[in-house]
Amino acid sequence: MDHFARLGLEATLELDGAALDKAYFAAQRRWHPDRFVTRPAEERARASLEAAAVNDAYRTLREPVARAVYLGSLSGVEMPGDGRTIDDPDLLMQAMEDREELAECAAIERVDALASRARDTIARELAALGGFLLHDDKGAIRKTLLRLRYLEKFLEETRARRINLERVGPAR
Amino acid sequence: MAYSEKLIDHYENPRNIGSLDKAADDVGTGLVGAPACGDVMKLQIKVGADGLIEDAKFKTFGCGSAIASSSLVTEWVKGKTLDEAQSIKNTDIARHLALPPVKIHCSVLAEDAIKAAIADYRAKASAKDETKAAD
């Protein structure tokens, strides 16, 4: 059973956050160990497996990029694993430039501007991904998911950079 | 998890950080990235008239093992021929730095980077030969 089906949701990129939360809490209640304490061992075991699967589904579907990667895998698009370089020179060039720009940021406002730019790009890439999923364009899906991964990583780095700058204080 | 002294040394005192002129004929640039973790690594070589690698620089945005792997490779390739540099294996890097199994992919990335830099230099050199032949 896939993560969407497990929570009784339609498999789609534009998942309603409130609906996801509601489905998650309902499923969690349904399989809660407290409700199975007096049940036979095999039922207890089943409930704990289900509860774990529900948590896993929620964690994956909650984050838009993780959800996108998961939807890609449902369409048969596997992300390359560790161990080989990615084959998108434009993405690599862009990633290198972005990271250099971030490393040179001395002001928090500048870091925030880069983060906000990255979030806009993520929104645009996600919108484009919707179309690629619809047309089952596997090459474009894979390319877009890789871009999203890099953008997510970049956002993570902007947060780290921000903390660093806050600790050091304003540049004199 | 304990990291080796060599790894920590390369991470804390990385060798050859920086950039070479990407547009120069005698410079080869390799740009690679890890699909899973989003790390990105640039490795450049400058090849002398004698065919030996006279300078190497790197810039890596990634974990300590990725930084140490690329730092080590720039150190290794200096003074080598392209063929010698081409033969560097990720297992050599991983062994030298005693990389833990979960970080082996960092050494693979460094191997891919030096290979890409050599390929870029060779592509430039053969394009130049063709231009010369056409003159």
Side-chain angles (χ1 to χ4, degrees), chain B residues 6-69:
Chain B
K6 279 177 186 159
L7 190 152
I8 291 166
D9 180 38
H10 271 281
Y11 175 64
E12 288 182 345
N13 314 294
R15 331 297 200 252
N16 310 308
I17 278 197
S19 291
L20 298 167
D21 178 12
K22 178 168 88 175
D25 282 340
D26 58 352
V27 171
T29 301
L31 196 53
V32 297
C37 58
D39 287 355
V40 34
M41 183 184 284
K42 181 174 76 176
L43 206 148
Q44 296 182 298
I45 50 169
K46 186 174 193 286
V47 183
D50 54 4
L52 298 180
I53 296 173
E54 61 181 39
D55 200 5
K57 296 273 184 210
F58 84 95
K59 217 171 216 191
T60 293
F61 293 101
C63 67
S65 299
I67 291 168
S69 295

Side-chain angles (χ1 to χ4, degrees), chain B:
Chain B
M1 183 164 36
Y3 285 109
S4 73
E5 264 173 51
K6 279 177 186 159
L7 190 152
I8 291 166
D9 180 38
H10 271 281
Y11 175 64
E12 288 182 345
N13 314 294
R15 331 297 200 252
N16 310 308
I17 278 197
S19 291
L20 298 167
D21 178 12
K22 178 168 88 175
D25 282 340
D26 58 352
V27 171
T29 301
L31 196 53
V32 297
C37 58
D39 287 355
V40 34
M41 183 184 284
K42 181 174 76 176
L43 206 148
Q44 296 182 298
I45 50 169
K46 186 174 193 286
V47 183
D50 54 4
L52 298 180
I53 296 173
E54 61 181 39
D55 200 5
K57 296 273 184 210
F58 84 95
K59 217 171 216 191
T60 293
F61 293 101
C63 67
S65 299
I67 291 168
S69 295
S70 32
S71 167
L72 177 67
V73 167
T74 57
E75 206 169 49
W76 274 357
V77 298
K78 279 197 201 180
K80 286 206 163 76
T81 66
L82 291 178
D83 286 339
E84 285 164 349
Q86 178 83 32
S87 71
I88 290 175
K89 291 273 170 298
N90 87 284
T91 43
D92 303 332
I93 303 165
R95 197 177 311 121
H96 184 88
L97 296 172
L99 291 182
V102 293
K103 292 294 179 183
I104 297 296
H105 68 275
C106 299
S107 64
V108 178
L109 214 54
E111 181 193 323
D112 283 349
I114 182 63
K115 289 205 157 78
I118 293 168
D120 181 54
Y121 171 80
R122 285 191 163 137
K124 272 185 188 172
S126 67
K128 207 166 72 175
D129 281 351
E130 273 168 34
T131 329
K132 250 190 235 158
D135 279 345

Side-chain angles (χ1 to χ4, degrees), chain A:
Chain A
M1 197 188 297
D2 73 54
H3 289 334
F4 292 97
R6 188 168 301 281
L7 295 174
L9 296 164
E10 190 197 345
T12 172
L13 197 56
E14 298 91 20
L15 202 55
D16 175 34
L20 173 64
D21 285 349
K22 204 173 148 205
Y24 168 63
F25 292 126
Q28 220 192 17
R29 268 195 307 278
R30 179 174 171 209
W31 298 110
H32 198 281
D34 287 355
R35 304 177 58 142
F36 291 84
V37 273
T38 61
R39 311 298 302 172
E42 62 266 34
E43 270 187 54
R44 282 207 306 274
R46 157 110 203 271
S48 91
L49 282 179
E50 289 288 341
V54 162
N55 283 334
D56 196 25
Y58 182 64
R59 262 198 303 273
T60 304
L61 299 185
R62 196 176 40 178
E63 300 296 330
V65 173
R67 180 161 76 234
V69 171
Y70 182 67
L71 265 173
S73 77
L74 290 183
S75 306
V77 177
E78 289 303 327
M79 300 300 283
D82 272 334
R84 279 271 92 99
T85 177
I86 60 171
D87 46 7
D88 184 344
D90 296 337
L91 169 58
L92 287 171
M93 196 92 80
Q94 188 64 50
M96 188 46 100
E97 279 171 14
D98 288 349
R99 295 293 286 271
E100 281 175 340
E101 202 177 346
L102 179 63
E104 284 157 14
C105 276
I108 288 180
E109 299 73 47
R110 194 71 205 105
V111 175
D112 289 346
L114 289 181
S116 134
R117 190 178 77 189
R119 273 191 293 271
D120 289 348
T121 315
I122 288 179
R124 265 203 312 280
E125 296 280 357
L126 281 172
L129 183 65
F132 300 145
L133 284 165
L134 205 63
H135 296 106
D136 198 27
D137 184 345
K138 292 193 167 56
I141 294 171
R142 187 173 176 277
K143 200 176 162 120
T144 310
L145 289 177
L146 270 177
R147 290 185 172 268
L148 284 166
R149 274 250 173 97
Y150 265 77
L151 286 160
E152 277 263 286
K153 172 75 174 185
F154 182 74
L155 268 186
E156 198 183 305
E157 292 298 325
T158 60
R159 286 190 285 269
R161 182 84 190 135
R162 208 172 189 287
I163 290 168
N164 256 329
L165 286 174
E166 274 169 355
R167 196 181 300 146
V168 177
R172 264 171 266 258

